[in-house]
Amino acid sequence: MHISPELNQKLDRFLADCQKQAYSIAFFSIKNASDSLDVIQNTMIAFVKYYQVKPEDQWRPLFYKVLQNKINDHFRSTKKWYSLFTSPKEDDLEESPLNSQESLMSSPTKYFESGEINKNVSSAIAELPERQRQAVIYRLWQGFSVKETAHIMNVSQGSIKTHLSRALVNLKGQLGAIYE
């Protein structure tokens, strides 16, 4: 199928806008930088192949649905279920090809403090059970509605509310001791 230059530009912008968040989501699930990049690449290829004809306002939830499916496919094909229970290595986060100097704050103290907070929050999210982690990422981090999150995760809206509630209790328990 031939893509018009205008649609090609829109797809390029859309995918560029999703790239960093998609990497973070994939990395939280897979916990391996190169496998996460492979999953993102497969997601983008599948998205363009099957969903470019969909209305532009539907792209975002569809993209993250494809991403979640590709993450699931990764685990099925590689039989790496054990990686769900290991913590991400700091080296993998630092070596991310998507990290850039642009994200550094002007004050080294603020940067250090925000880095410590991000590290603690990231570690706490990574420790959540898979469904709770997904609910936090899609509902709170990505800002999807309960309905969209339920569609992405293939569960009911009630399940999303339950997973999110439990995740917040878990996060408060993990982070409360650090920040009280």
Side-chain angles (χ1 to χ4, degrees), residues 1 5 32 37 90 105 108 112 119 121 128-129 160 162 180:
M1 172 183 264
N32 179 287
L37 290 171
E90 285 182 42
M105 300 170 106
F112 177 77
K119 183 178 171 184
V121 171
L128 292 173
I160 295 302
T162 300
E180 285 183 341

Side-chain angles (χ1 to χ4, degrees), residues 131-132 135 146 155-170:
R131 289 299 195 173
Q132 290 179 21
V146 171
V155 297
S156 70
Q157 292 180 40
S159 291
I160 295 302
K161 293 174 185 177
T162 300
H163 291 309
L164 190 57
S165 174
R166 290 178 181 163
L168 293 174
V169 168
N170 284 340

Side-chain angles (χ1 to χ4, degrees), residues 118-180:
N118 288 340
K119 183 178 171 184
N120 292 335
V121 171
S122 294
S123 294
I125 292 172
E127 294 296 320
L128 292 173
E130 180 183 10
R131 289 299 195 173
Q132 290 179 21
R133 184 176 58 245
Q134 290 172 339
V136 167
I137 289 171
Y138 291 122
R139 182 75 180 101
L140 301 180
W141 190 2
Q142 291 294 315
F144 285 113
S145 68
V146 171
K147 183 178 180 180
E148 290 169 326
T149 304
H151 177 72
I152 290 168
M153 292 175 54
N154 264 348
V155 297
S156 70
Q157 292 180 40
S159 291
I160 295 302
K161 293 174 185 177
T162 300
H163 291 309
L164 190 57
S165 174
R166 290 178 181 163
L168 293 174
V169 168
N170 284 340
L171 289 172
K172 185 176 181 182
Q174 290 181 46
L175 297 171
I178 297 171
Y179 296 107
E180 285 183 341

Side-chain angles (χ1 to χ4, degrees), residues 15-84:
L15 294 174
D17 288 345
C18 293
Q19 182 176 330
K20 262 189 164 178
Q21 293 294 328
Y23 176 80
S24 296
I25 291 168
F27 187 80
F28 268 123
S29 296
I30 298 169
K31 298 177 179 68
N32 179 287
S34 62
D35 288 348
S36 297
L37 290 171
D38 289 343
V39 165
I40 293 167
Q41 182 179 22
N42 292 336
T43 299
M44 289 181 176
I45 290 168
F47 178 80
V48 170
K49 183 175 180 181
Y50 298 110
Y51 297 107
Q52 64 176 314
V53 296
K54 294 287 188 181
E56 198 171 338
D57 64 337
Q58 294 179 12
W59 284 359
R60 189 169 177 258
L62 286 171
F63 176 82
Y64 288 102
K65 174 80 169 172
V66 173
L67 175 63
Q68 191 58 51
N69 288 339
K70 293 299 179 185
I71 290 169
N72 292 339
D73 290 348
H74 167 78
F75 285 117
R76 276 193 289 272
S77 68
T78 60
K79 306 289 184 209
K80 286 188 171 180
W81 289 102
Y82 65 88
S83 68
L84 288 173

